[in-house]
Amino acid sequence: MPSPFLHDNYLTKFEKADVVIYDGQSTEKTAFSWKLTVGMPRYALIGGTRGYNQFRRVHEQIADYEYVELDVNDSAELERALKDTRYSGYNIAHPYKVEVIQYLDEISDDSRRAGAVDVVMRLPDGRLRGFNTEMAAFRYMVEGYVEDRKCLIFGSGGAATASARTLKDLGASDIVIVSRDPEEAAAKLIPDPDGEKVRLGDIYKVTGYDRLHLHYDAHVVINCTPSGKSPDVEHSPLTDHRLTMRMFSGLELAVDLIYDPYRTKFLQDARRLTGCHIKSGVEMLIFRAIASRNIWLGKPDETDQDKRFITPIKRRLLQEQLNVIAVGMPGSGKTTIMRRYAYELGLKFIDTDEETEKLMGEKIADVLTEPGLGEDYFKAMEHLAVKEACKSRGAVIATGGSTALNPLNRDLLRANGIVVYVRRPLDKLDKRGRQISINKGLAEFFNARDRIYRRTADMSILNSRIFGERRAKTGEGNTYNYELKGFVYYIARKIERYLNEIADNKWT
């Protein structure tokens, strides 16, 4: 059986290894990995995010070659990196997708049409050839949803022009590019279908954010800017210009090419304020990585066959990327349960109340009653603690009872998180050391918060038991640990099912 991942030119000796991709629910084999012993090629990412990088993680799953990230900061460093013959090819990320073209010996037809290159291959004679996989990947995301629809594209860079070209091919009725500097964007030279250089404004409508009110009848909005990308997850191209998604009353679909975080503010606002469908850039990322591999290793274009790998790869990426975050009433058991959940699964645990107290240098209860500090100071420090905690990947986070009341915190929790609402009957809430039952009626307090918790969460669990209660009745030892462990594995199964669902879902 030939390897589905590696081209024969690089296989001088190989052995079958363990399966590397599963269907997410069982041990059914869906793909194999072959281990190279000699002749391993090396590829690199130029541009993009340093450190935690999903693009690298996808390549690690789909092929056995060395893949690294190069620290390139300007044109001179870009040129030097491309001349480094230790690398057989490159992925090109923002902001070099257009600039890289001048250093290439030839480019593909798709690159010429898009006016941008995101994959470079070193040919046997040493020349560099550029390709564009973004158009095909973007088509995969939006085909069937944009025909006869008015589409707005935020941004005017290489990804935006590639997206605009694809929308035109798919029959969009109207394409409008929104830029911070519409005059400069309109004058930008891009290739037409025949390869001739034309002004962007001669092919598409170009407007500024100050005239966006003329296009609130759009059916589809697409973010092709880096606004909202980790770690600056509190931004979006609209909020950066003090605009709101609410004005798009007929919006049907919002797409963000950003894949980290999974739910950008752009997408969260679109879903919350218009009720439209939303799509993250995760599947587009996976599609592009597979297409890159096929180019580098000389595989034929097998798009339909390769699509079947997108779901299991997406699931693994999200499992590594998304935090499990608990919200709920004070005394509902969030911290106890999530701390044990992290311990059992070998994950990092963060308590945002503890992190907030570290920032303040005092206990929360003391700050709330101290003159000159009080609730406003606590909320500001809590927001900083939540923001830092949510930069984690694959961690378990227990939040304070008031954390989700702040809409800025809610966006942070949901950006890269699976949010779990831990519900508990009011008569079982732990009231020790808490002021809620003293300062306000408990039922009123709960009613004011329950709706917010539900709206924030992806799922809820009912914690109606007292762990270890059987011991008092039967004399059985260690029932507290036994019951708590069983409960966290019940949560783990729910998380697994949810991951399977979102990996298989076409919407974010």
Side-chain angles (χ1 to χ4, degrees):
M1 174 181 174
S3 166
F5 292 149
L6 300 177
H7 190 261
D8 291 342
N9 289 349
Y10 292 99
L11 289 174
T12 56
K13 181 180 179 182
F14 59 88
E15 61 184 21
K16 191 166 75 171
D18 294 334
V19 293
V20 293
I21 299 178
Y22 299 90
D23 65 358
Q25 301 179 43
S26 67
T27 57
E28 179 183 348
K29 301 175 182 179
T30 59
F32 290 89
S33 167
W34 263 255
K35 179 181 178 182
L36 284 171
T37 56
V38 295
M40 179 178 288
R42 176 188 291 178
Y43 302 94
L45 172 66
I46 296 177
T49 304
R50 300 271 70 81
Y52 179 83
N53 192 288
Q54 291 92 324
F55 217 14
R56 176 175 52 80
R57 295 295 296 118
V58 176
H59 280 290
E60 289 172 355
Q61 293 186 56
I62 64 176
D64 273 333
Y65 45 60
E66 186 178 354
Y67 191 87
V68 300
E69 301 161 47
L70 297 183
D71 192 14
V72 172
N73 299 300
D74 54 38
S75 298
E77 291 183 1
L78 172 63
E79 185 176 12
R80 282 197 296 272
L82 292 170
K83 289 180 177 179
D84 190 338
T85 56
R86 292 176 300 172
Y87 299 98
S88 301
Y90 309 86
N91 280 129
I92 309 298
H94 177 83
Y96 300 114
K97 295 176 185 177
V98 177
E99 183 179 356
V100 71
I101 295 175
Q102 63 184 302
Y103 303 112
L104 306 179
D105 298 291
E106 56 184 81
I107 62 174
S108 67
D109 290 340
D110 278 348
S111 297
R112 188 171 292 106
R113 295 184 68 237
V117 163
D118 68 311
V119 178
V120 173
M121 179 180 180
R122 195 179 306 281
L123 301 175
D125 60 5
R127 291 180 304 126
L128 296 175
R129 179 175 173 81
F131 301 83
N132 185 281
T133 65
E134 288 183 315
M135 290 180 65
F138 185 67
R139 175 187 287 269
Y140 170 77
M141 286 185 69
V142 303
E143 190 167 16
Y145 305 107
V146 299
E147 186 177 359
D148 297 325
R149 294 293 185 268
K150 180 173 182 177
C151 302
L152 289 188
I153 297 175
F154 295 97
S156 56
T161 55
S163 299
R165 186 73 72 184
T166 305
L167 291 173
K168 193 170 185 178
D169 292 345
L170 293 174
S173 62
D174 204 0
I175 302 169
V176 181
I177 292 178
V178 186
S179 173
R180 290 178 297 179
D181 190 337
E183 292 185 4
E184 180 181 329
K188 175 183 175 183
L189 293 178
I190 63 170
D192 67 9
D194 297 324
E196 299 296 327
K197 292 289 187 179
V198 296
R199 295 171 71 252
L200 181 66
D202 293 338
I203 301 180
Y204 307 108
K205 295 178 183 177
V206 181
T207 190
Y209 287 89
D210 59 335
R211 300 184 66 80
L212 193 59
H213 61 279
L214 300 176
H215 303 286
Y216 281 142
D217 58 340
H219 304 101
V220 180
V221 293
I222 301 141
N223 179 31
C224 296
T225 78
S227 182
K229 186 177 182 179
S230 290
D232 300 318
V233 299
E234 294 177 284
H235 295 269
S236 89
L238 287 173
T239 57
D240 287 348
H241 292 83
R242 298 188 177 183
L243 298 170
T244 176
M245 192 74 72
R246 192 185 300 276
M247 300 304 294
F248 293 102
S249 57
L251 200 60
E252 299 171 2
L253 174 65
V255 178
D256 201 324
L257 304 195
I258 292 172
Y259 47 84
D260 182 14
Y262 179 56
R263 301 184 186 107
T264 61
K265 181 168 178 56
F266 180 81
L267 293 181
Q268 290 192 63
D269 287 348
R271 180 62 179 166
R272 180 175 61 251
L273 299 177
T274 74
C276 72
H277 290 302
I278 59 175
K279 279 198 171 190
S280 165
V282 170
E283 290 186 3
M284 185 172 173
L285 162 77
I286 298 169
F287 188 106
R288 289 173 54 211
I290 293 174
S292 301
R293 178 208 64 191
N294 292 349
I295 290 169
W296 292 332
L297 303 186
K299 286 178 58 65
D301 185 9
E302 299 174 343
T303 301
D304 290 338
Q305 179 179 341
D306 287 333
K307 284 179 182 176
R308 65 193 175 99
F309 296 121
I310 290 179
T311 295
I313 294 172
K314 179 182 175 183
R315 188 197 181 284
R316 178 169 291 188
L317 276 187
L318 294 181
Q319 184 174 26
E320 295 174 352
Q321 177 176 338
L322 301 183
N323 301 307
V324 176
I325 304 173
V327 300
M329 288 282 285
S332 61
K334 302 184 299 296
T335 302
T336 299
I337 293 168
M338 290 296 110
R339 193 187 301 274
R340 185 59 176 263
Y341 181 97
Y343 171 79
E344 293 292 340
L345 276 70
L347 302 173
K348 177 182 179 181
F349 175 74
I350 301 171
D351 182 343
T352 61
D353 276 350
E354 291 180 359
E355 298 306 310
T356 303
E357 289 181 341
K358 290 178 184 178
L359 287 176
M360 298 187 302
E362 296 184 63
K363 293 292 185 182
I364 293 173
D366 295 336
V367 169
L368 291 175
T369 57
E370 186 172 335
L373 297 180
E375 188 173 3
D376 288 343
Y377 174 72
F378 161 69
K379 287 181 177 179
M381 292 297 101
E382 180 184 53
H383 178 68
L384 292 177
V386 170
K387 185 175 182 178
E388 188 62 30
C390 290
K391 291 179 181 178
S392 300
R393 299 291 185 273
V396 180
I397 302 173
T399 65
S402 65
T403 302
L405 304 186
N406 184 340
L408 298 178
N409 289 343
R410 294 198 291 270
D411 285 346
L412 290 172
L413 299 178
R414 291 184 52 78
N416 260 334
I418 301 173
V419 184
V420 181
Y421 174 19
V422 180
R423 297 162 45 227
R424 189 161 177 80
L426 297 186
D427 62 334
K428 287 186 168 61
L429 288 175
D430 182 0
K431 305 177 185 64
R432 290 172 296 179
R434 306 180 192 277
Q435 299 297 314
I436 60 173
S437 59
I438 299 173
N439 297 335
K440 184 180 277 191
L442 189 54
E444 179 186 353
F445 190 86
F446 171 77
N447 291 334
R449 294 189 173 191
D450 178 63
R451 179 176 55 86
I452 295 174
Y453 293 145
R454 290 179 183 273
R455 192 171 61 199
T456 306
D458 296 296
M459 66 179 69
S460 66
I461 57 170
L462 178 62
N463 175 25
S464 61
R465 56 185 96 179
I466 299 176
F467 301 114
E469 193 173 26
R470 279 193 303 162
R471 183 174 183 178
K473 296 179 179 178
T474 65
E476 183 180 351
N478 205 32
T479 56
Y480 174 86
N481 286 321
Y482 176 79
E483 291 174 1
L484 182 56
K485 181 178 179 178
F487 191 64
V488 300
Y489 277 102
Y490 156 74
I491 299 172
R493 289 192 295 271
K494 289 198 69 167
I495 297 293
E496 289 291 310
R497 288 195 295 270
Y498 180 74
L499 281 168
N500 292 336
E501 289 172 6
I502 61 175
D504 199 40
N505 198 329
K506 61 185 177 181
W507 310 118
T508 297

